[in-house]
Amino acid sequence: MTAHTATAPAAAPDAPRTPRAGRRRTAVVLALAAGTAALFVLTIATGSHPVPVAEVVRILGGGTADDPRWAVIVEQVRLPRALTATAVGAALAVAGVQMQTLFRNALADPFSLGVSSGASMGVAAVVVGTGGVAGSFTGGLAGLGRVGVVLAASSGAAAVLALVLLLSRWVRSAVTLLVIGVMIGSAATAVVGVLLVYARPERAQQFVVWGLGSFGATTWPDLHVMLPVIGFGLLTALLAAKRLNALLLGEDYARTVGLNVRRSRDLVLFGTSLLAGAATAFCGPVAFLGLAVPHLTRVALGTSDHRALIPASMLAGAFLALACALLSQPPGTDSVLPLNAVTSLFGAPVVIAFLVRSRRGVQGVSS
């Protein structure tokens, strides 16, 4: 595998910021914040049974709805879904930023290290588990329903993370570590394929449905676990912004400025896997966001400075995740489209057009 830089800034990330560049970044962040807030409310308001936007705002503000049914729809069904989309979109976008910077590869995403494949392997083990001596553990998890699936996905992702972190102690090259992560992911995917051969059709279907991704399956108890974990991962990324700026210019440069590269790499790997693992455990492997959002945000900001890039990516990831959540459940109908189909069909053409039309974006990806 050949290494490619994720970005190619014209100047060092710590270069002085001009007033014009500062205004541009501020405008981008404000626009993303406003757009995310508007989509958050719209996602809650639309669905098979529309709720007036004014009522949604009133309920979110702690007021009493004119119709009690609207309060139930908003608070118990759509608010958890909107919060999940916001958190997972931000998590995957920031994880993608960290991966592309660490490996200096424009095609790296949160799942390049095999975290998603590990989670899939855990879920496959649960849906195939049938009890007995060999399958007592997985069969027991299967009996827990959604909780068992979340625990299995978390366990699989954690196992892959532990293996990658262990191997990183003996691997000096980030590119080599990326290749190892891809190989681990391939091996986990192969295990999933073998497990599904022995699965009953209805259980194999259960795994396929999980693999399509969904923001709508989370409940308030799920959010009480997921939101703190993702919040911790996002905070870790914000605190690592200066380390990432140094790594953006190469590990040799980072060492010359006194950065402990191995410790920084482990920190980034841990934070990224935490974000990707939590998102995958509760929502399945959500495609596109972690790969594309960092590129879009760099083009919009006109910089690769992580002090601006990470907060903006949080908002951009949340915005696009909410947009995909809105499109996956067309207003006024009971149909639900596969989330990963929406993220790819809607997102890929937008990203291609946006990058092709932007000279800065093309240079950033191809350098």
Side-chain angles (χ1 to χ4, degrees), residues 122-325:
V123 174
V126 165
V127 300
V128 174
T130 57
V133 177
S136 58
F137 175 70
T138 56
L141 285 180
L144 296 176
R146 173 165 169 76
V147 175
V149 171
V150 171
L151 289 175
S154 302
S155 300
V160 170
L161 168 61
L163 181 58
V164 171
L165 289 177
L166 178 63
L167 293 175
S168 72
R169 310 306 299 173
W170 290 281
V171 176
R172 182 180 179 86
S173 169
V175 175
T176 302
L177 185 61
L178 178 60
V179 174
I180 290 174
V182 172
M183 293 301 101
I184 292 174
S186 298
T189 301
V191 172
V192 170
V194 172
L195 289 174
L196 292 180
V197 169
Y198 298 98
R200 294 200 298 267
E202 65 273 14
R203 292 200 169 186
Q205 181 66 24
Q206 180 185 355
F207 175 81
V208 170
V209 171
W210 176 83
L212 294 175
S214 174
F215 292 140
T218 51
T219 61
W220 283 112
D222 291 336
L223 290 173
H224 292 157
V225 176
M226 185 186 73
L227 292 181
V229 173
I230 289 180
F232 178 77
L234 294 176
L235 178 61
T236 300
L238 288 170
L239 294 177
K242 289 188 176 181
R243 294 173 182 263
L244 290 167
N245 279 347
L247 290 172
L248 185 64
L249 299 178
E251 293 186 357
D252 291 337
Y253 171 82
R255 290 188 181 94
T256 63
V257 297
L259 185 69
N260 187 322
V261 173
R262 175 168 291 180
R263 183 180 301 170
S264 300
R265 186 172 66 183
D266 288 347
L267 177 64
V268 172
L269 288 175
F270 175 76
T272 298
S273 298
L274 195 66
L275 293 170
T280 305
F282 288 95
C283 301
V286 180
F288 163 73
L289 296 176
L291 174 63
V293 172
H295 294 303
L296 291 174
T297 310
R298 289 188 192 98
V299 172
L301 290 176
T303 182
S304 295
D305 187 343
H306 290 82
R307 293 171 297 184
L309 182 60
I310 290 177
S313 293
M314 289 182 191
L315 292 171
F319 178 86
L320 286 179
L322 286 167
C324 291

Side-chain angles (χ1 to χ4, degrees), residues 303-361:
T303 182
S304 295
D305 187 343
H306 290 82
R307 293 171 297 184
L309 182 60
I310 290 177
S313 293
M314 289 182 191
L315 292 171
F319 178 86
L320 286 179
L322 286 167
C324 291
L326 186 63
L327 291 173
S328 67
Q329 293 189 345
T333 68
D334 293 325
S335 61
V336 179
L337 303 177
L339 178 61
N340 280 330
V342 174
T343 58
S344 299
L345 291 176
F346 167 70
V350 173
V351 173
I352 292 172
F354 196 55
L355 293 179
V356 168
R357 293 186 61 183
S358 171
R359 181 179 302 176
R360 186 187 299 272

Side-chain angles (χ1 to χ4, degrees), residues 59-185:
I59 294 170
L60 294 179
T64 302
D66 291 340
D67 188 335
R69 293 175 298 178
W70 289 340
V72 174
I73 291 173
V74 169
E75 295 174 354
Q76 300 302 320
V77 179
R78 295 183 185 170
L79 182 55
R81 173 169 163 258
L83 288 172
T84 299
T86 302
V88 170
L92 293 178
V94 171
V97 168
Q98 294 185 95
M99 288 293 293
Q100 290 172 10
T101 298
L102 178 63
F103 295 113
R104 297 175 60 79
N105 191 314
L107 298 180
D109 69 5
F111 304 133
S112 295
L113 293 180
V115 173
S116 175
S117 298
S120 298
M121 184 173 62
V123 174
V126 165
V127 300
V128 174
T130 57
V133 177
S136 58
F137 175 70
T138 56
L141 285 180
L144 296 176
R146 173 165 169 76
V147 175
V149 171
V150 171
L151 289 175
S154 302
S155 300
V160 170
L161 168 61
L163 181 58
V164 171
L165 289 177
L166 178 63
L167 293 175
S168 72
R169 310 306 299 173
W170 290 281
V171 176
R172 182 180 179 86
S173 169
V175 175
T176 302
L177 185 61
L178 178 60
V179 174
I180 290 174
V182 172
M183 293 301 101
I184 292 174

